[in-house]
Amino acid sequence: MVLKEGTRWLAGAVVVAWIVVAGPSAPGDSLPAGSRPVDSARDVVANRVMTWNLCNPCDESNVDRAARIAAFAPQVVGLQEACTGDVRSVRDHLENLHGLVYHVEYGPVLGSWSRCGGAPWKPEGYGQAILSAAPMKDPVNVEYPDGGSEDRGYLAVTTTVDDRPVRVFNTHLAERRQETVRADQTAVLAAEVARNDRAIVMGDFNAVPHAPELAGMWALATDADPQCHPSSTGTCAATTDWQSKFDYVFLRDIAPLKHGVHPTRHSDHHILHADLDVH
């Protein structure tokens, strides 16, 4: 009996010592209110979508990337600056480490050996990707006629969000200081979005809300944050380390319920998630 009590006391002391040594997690990686502990994530949140620019090349672990996605367990994830090999790895880690099973569609717009690896004569693809807990159909991968300083495009699929079919777009527009190029890209994207009565358009637009090149999107959709709009009176949370809002979840005939912006040390773009009422 004494031996058993001593063993219990020793086990408890070891646990306390580990907590003291390990300390709290890094501030940028603490789980936000409303998210679930990573090790308990098994089912996705059916009405939640998420967009995240992976900041490639940022040389981050795909295990860590998967853990951040699993913390929110969204139904649909849009990734930008994504290598096809990294997306495969993230998807595998989500299933094997977190019990979250996703379908995947890739939207590469260029091959980049320096960023993504692969054989020198056959580099991995680089661009967008969509992960969806529900099957996807009718995928379309479009490269913009003018990418600016780097090839850019959008990926579109039809999948299920909030138990309803919806067209989902994921894009990455031209880099900063290329306003006219982004305006042309937005025109291409908006023309396709307009063909859908209900749509979610997410991604890195590389433009602040009041930028003229985003006018075409604002004419078709609203932001997942009801307080964010193109006028100077809008209140839009920054989604980048340089305190600008570049990342959006635009909604066409879909109502927002809540949203969150979450900094992370794994990218210079913050995670943006939105819970939706797809009526």
Side-chain angles (χ1 to χ4, degrees), residues 21-278:
V21 171
S25 59
D29 287 334
S30 59
L31 296 182
S35 66
R36 63 185 74 190
V38 171
D39 59 3
S40 70
R42 291 296 180 270
D43 299 315
V44 299
V45 181
N47 68 334
R48 178 170 294 170
V49 300
M50 168 181 160
T51 182
W52 191 18
N53 183 314
L54 295 183
C55 176
N56 198 320
C58 280
D59 197 27
E60 294 294 342
S61 164
N62 288 323
V63 171
D64 292 334
R65 288 168 170 162
R68 295 302 295 159
I69 294 172
F72 300 92
Q75 174 80 5
V76 174
V77 186
L79 302 174
Q80 305 89 41
E81 294 199 40
C83 297
T84 53
D86 286 335
V87 175
R88 283 194 299 270
S89 178
V90 167
R91 181 195 184 198
D92 289 345
H93 292 319
L94 283 165
E95 180 174 359
N96 297 331
L97 300 179
H98 306 285
L100 294 170
V101 179
Y102 287 98
H103 303 268
V104 62
E105 287 290 345
Y106 301 100
V109 290
L110 60 90
S112 179
W113 181 83
S114 61
R115 283 176 166 170
C116 301
W121 58 89
K122 190 178 181 181
E124 289 276 6
Y126 173 80
Q128 289 74 243
I130 294 177
L131 300 175
S132 174
M136 292 176 277
K137 63 181 182 179
D138 302 325
V140 174
N141 185 36
V142 174
E143 183 176 341
Y144 293 124
D146 183 359
S149 56
E150 179 179 88
D151 294 345
R152 295 290 165 90
Y154 72 82
L155 172 64
V157 301
T158 298
T159 188
T160 301
V161 179
D162 198 18
D163 296 325
R164 292 178 179 271
V166 62
R167 193 67 171 166
V168 177
F169 295 80
N170 179 26
T171 192
H172 188 191
L173 300 190
E175 295 175 330
R176 287 177 289 178
R177 296 179 295 278
Q178 298 180 76
E179 293 84 355
T180 56
V181 175
R182 285 197 300 274
D184 291 341
Q185 293 172 347
T186 303
V188 172
L189 176 62
E192 187 61 29
V193 173
R195 297 176 58 189
N196 299 269
D197 294 331
R198 184 167 54 210
I200 300 169
V201 188
M202 65 179 78
D204 175 5
F205 285 74
N206 268 318
V208 294
H210 60 271
E213 61 264 33
L214 294 190
M217 284 307 308
W218 287 114
L220 294 172
T222 58
D223 191 74
D225 177 2
Q227 302 303 314
C228 183
H229 44 81
S231 73
S232 58
T233 59
T235 304
C236 307
T239 64
T240 65
D241 287 352
W242 52 93
Q243 298 303 308
S244 294
K245 178 176 172 67
F246 279 5
D247 305 88
Y248 298 81
V249 175
F250 282 112
L251 305 175
R252 179 167 169 82
D253 197 29
I254 295 173
L257 296 177
K258 63 179 181 179
H259 72 284
V261 177
H262 311 281
T264 168
R265 64 183 173 86
H266 303 298
S267 174
D268 57 359
H269 284 255
H270 307 339
I271 291 171
L272 171 59
H273 91 270
D275 293 354
L276 311 173
D277 179 11
V278 184

